[in-house]
Amino acid sequence: MSNDVRDYPARSSQDGLSRFLGGSPLSVAFRLILLSILVGVVLSAIGFDPLNILNSIRLLIRRLYELGFDAINWLWRYFLLGAVIVIPIWLLSRLFAPRGR
């Protein structure tokens, strides 16, 4: 047997970076920006202030404590409302996902 030396294309650092990030750096940055804006809107809707985040968290916890069981009811209703959309989409994505993974 002879020693076969095969020429493989050299891996660039861009391939490793894309693999680490989960896509091209520009598309990952764009998705992260959009997700950050969406999360910011949601956090703003529940009363968070980006300039005073610790006070906002303390205020949210105090309000939840003061609301008592109304907070649980409020969270449950929003959970059910979101689950009506999220669970079927998740189930369909799992059913139609390629089986190779």
Side-chain angles (χ1 to χ4, degrees):
M1 292 184 122
S2 67
N3 290 336
D4 268 346
V5 177
R6 296 183 181 170
D7 292 329
Y8 291 108
R11 292 186 182 195
S12 68
S13 63
Q14 184 70 13
D15 291 338
L17 181 63
S18 294
R19 187 173 52 237
F20 173 74
L21 293 176
S24 72
L26 189 59
S27 69
V28 171
F30 183 71
R31 285 188 309 223
L32 287 175
I33 289 169
L34 286 180
L35 187 60
S36 295
I37 291 171
L38 177 66
V39 169
V41 168
V42 170
L43 290 175
S44 176
I46 61 174
F48 279 80
D49 179 18
L51 300 177
N52 195 0
I53 193 87
L54 294 177
N55 188 37
S56 297
I57 292 171
R58 185 184 54 77
L59 185 61
L60 177 66
I61 291 171
R62 191 180 84 209
R63 285 181 183 166
L64 288 175
Y65 178 76
E66 289 172 355
L67 286 173
F69 288 108
D70 286 339
I72 295 170
N73 185 30
W74 175 78
L75 287 173
W76 179 248
R77 289 181 55 154
Y78 281 118
F79 167 74
L80 289 178
L81 182 62
V84 167
I85 302 297
V86 170
I87 301 299
I89 290 174
W90 173 80
L91 184 62
L92 288 173
S93 71
R94 298 306 296 165
L95 287 173
F96 295 112
R99 302 285 182 210
R101 289 194 251 171

